[in-house]
Amino acid sequence: MHNNLIYLTDGRGKVDASLLSGTTWDQLVVGNRDSTRRQLVKCAWCWDEDRVTHWMRTYSLANGTRVVAHQPGEAADHPYRALESEEHKAYCDRVERVGVTEGFKARREARAGDGLTRSDVLLVGFRQVSYEMQHSPFKPGYGATERTRRTLAAQRDAVAWHTDSSLIADRARVAMLRSNQARRPQIENPRYAIRILGGYRKVVTWDCSAREGHRCPRRRFAGCGEVHVRTEPSGVTLDDFIRQAPAGLILPVQPLDRLGFWTTIREFQIWMEHANRLDRPPDRRAAPGRHAQHEAEGHSRRTAAEDHAPAGPQHAGSAPAPVQVPDELVTLQRAVLQEHAQLAGLDGSAHTVQWKRWRTAAEAFQAAVTKYATRTGMSRHEVEQAAKRAARHPGPSR
């Protein structure tokens, strides 16, 4: 249902109309029959965000659907939004406090220009990170995937979903951070560490050979000679995540995928360099009635007998041409790397001054990337990654 958050002037305060019992809802419909004269049900959206009073109509459709609506021509409907719990408010307070202390701009219940896309806390630094805390199961039609897609379309760089429920994290269908469960006094205590237990990972690469001791994803007994990549669980606290994500030091990988994750900027770059050739075992199907004989970590004798020489590119002609970026973007990214390198060993006021210089350089680079991608119609992500690769690995023409 839309417009589910309402204020009841009979003393019940702010409630979620979708959670009222059937009897209570029927009584509310009868009592609010002449809504503008009765003045019993007030729109909580309009009051909380704009301090405007709109008296709402309440009725039920033939199929039993509850409707809370504005007066005709008064205002547009609002999307469903869960009622904020005390723990939810405490988490948002903590995120806002940590972000502001770190030097970012933080806005609560920030809404985009479309009037529908909102964030529990919008953190604005080197990147715009929309923080969303989820305590209750997602409402049909307003799930994490739909809301993440709308938020990214509203020109925000990332959506940081956070929950303390493993059930919600498993069903979210997007990259989601899961932390240990904490009560309100613990959340409000700045010394209490809220640890991220899931959704934050490190990227590991290895050269595939028999010596390394890893199982070859291509099922070659002695290794295939290629470089493989995988992820492993890693740890971070919620406070450190908030300090780093808006600065671009922690980035999401596959944010619209339930198996997505967050990782450091260095490991994000490693992942992206290998993303175009992620390891997938070949489709080997045994003949009916026969089973492959496996040995040594599940590799078959047939696979072990194959040629283990490093395989070169098999479809070089079909590989996409590398993205070309102007020297201006490469120069700006090199400046970012130089400013960041000078942070090493600094502390106190010297670190703060250098950190601001680095963030200014990073913001200039991101603005230039956006401008170039918009002008050329290219993918912003591809332009950014191409500029970063060129800055780290300059070719003969640079």
Side-chain angles (χ1 to χ4, degrees), residues 31-345:
N32 191 48
R33 184 162 297 166
D34 189 353
S35 54
T36 55
R37 185 182 297 273
R38 178 66 175 85
Q39 297 186 352
L40 173 63
V41 182
K42 180 167 64 173
C43 178
W45 278 80
C46 296
W47 178 252
D48 287 344
E49 299 184 4
D50 303 319
R51 285 296 185 264
V52 174
T53 298
H54 285 154
W55 301 111
M56 308 295 285
R57 297 179 295 149
T58 52
Y59 56 94
S60 297
L61 299 178
N63 60 4
T65 301
R66 300 177 183 182
V67 178
V68 179
H70 283 270
Q71 305 299 327
E74 186 176 67
D77 284 336
H78 309 291
Y80 176 89
R81 184 173 68 184
L83 187 63
E84 186 178 41
S85 66
E86 293 297 324
E87 287 76 14
H88 184 282
K89 183 177 183 301
Y91 272 115
C92 293
D93 288 342
R94 180 165 184 154
V95 169
E96 181 181 18
R97 181 177 66 250
V98 173
V100 171
T101 302
E102 189 63 21
F104 306 128
K105 296 179 181 178
R107 300 203 306 266
R108 296 287 289 272
E109 300 293 343
R111 300 174 68 180
D114 57 8
L116 300 178
T117 307
R118 49 170 290 281
S119 308
D120 287 339
V121 183
L122 180 63
L123 299 164
V124 181
F126 171 44
R127 291 179 177 269
Q128 289 194 19
V129 177
S130 176
Y131 172 82
E132 300 282 358
M133 180 65 199
Q134 191 70 23
H135 275 288
S136 58
F138 290 96
K139 191 76 173 178
Y142 296 95
T145 304
E146 296 85 354
R147 292 167 60 185
T148 300
R149 187 176 289 109
R150 286 200 301 265
T151 302
L152 295 177
Q155 306 303 316
R156 291 172 183 172
D157 295 302
V159 183
W161 282 102
H162 173 215
T163 184
D164 55 10
S165 168
S166 58
L167 180 63
I168 294 175
D170 292 340
R171 296 181 178 180
R173 299 186 180 277
V174 295
M176 176 168 281
L177 301 168
R178 180 178 62 84
S179 69
N180 56 305
Q181 291 190 345
R183 297 184 177 181
R184 181 181 174 186
Q186 296 171 318
I187 301 171
E188 293 177 340
N189 182 1
R191 297 185 179 180
Y192 181 81
I194 300 175
R195 302 191 179 279
I196 301 300
L197 307 177
Y200 181 80
R201 304 179 69 85
K202 62 180 179 181
V203 178
V204 179
T205 61
W206 77 94
D207 295 325
C208 189
S209 66
R211 254 181 287 181
E212 293 294 329
H214 297 286
R215 179 175 177 176
C216 175
R218 299 184 181 277
R219 301 178 182 177
R220 295 182 180 274
F221 181 77
C224 63
E226 295 186 1
V227 179
H228 299 302
V229 59
R230 71 168 187 268
T231 65
E232 295 179 351
S234 187
V236 70
T237 65
L238 177 63
D239 290 0
D240 285 341
F241 177 88
I242 296 303
R243 294 185 183 103
Q244 298 180 63
L249 301 179
I250 295 179
L251 298 173
V253 176
Q254 300 171 341
L256 287 172
D257 191 332
R258 185 177 67 84
L259 300 179
F261 59 94
W262 289 78
T263 189
T264 64
I265 185 171
R266 176 179 175 275
E267 292 174 352
F268 176 85
Q269 293 167 350
I270 296 174
W271 177 272
M272 295 307 298
E273 289 174 359
H274 294 272
N276 60 343
R277 54 185 182 86
L278 292 181
D279 306 306
R280 293 180 176 87
D283 186 14
R284 301 180 184 272
R285 299 178 181 177
R290 298 184 60 185
H291 299 279
Q293 299 179 2
H294 292 277
E295 63 178 16
E297 293 294 325
H299 303 308
S300 67
R301 290 193 179 97
R302 176 183 175 184
T303 306
E306 293 179 356
D307 180 19
H308 302 306
Q314 300 177 0
H315 305 286
S318 61
V323 176
Q324 299 295 328
V325 294
D327 293 340
E328 176 189 0
L329 294 181
V330 179
T331 302
L332 289 173
Q333 175 58 14
R334 287 176 181 168
V336 173
L337 297 176
Q338 292 173 359
E339 297 293 348
H340 185 266
Q342 296 181 25
L343 285 170

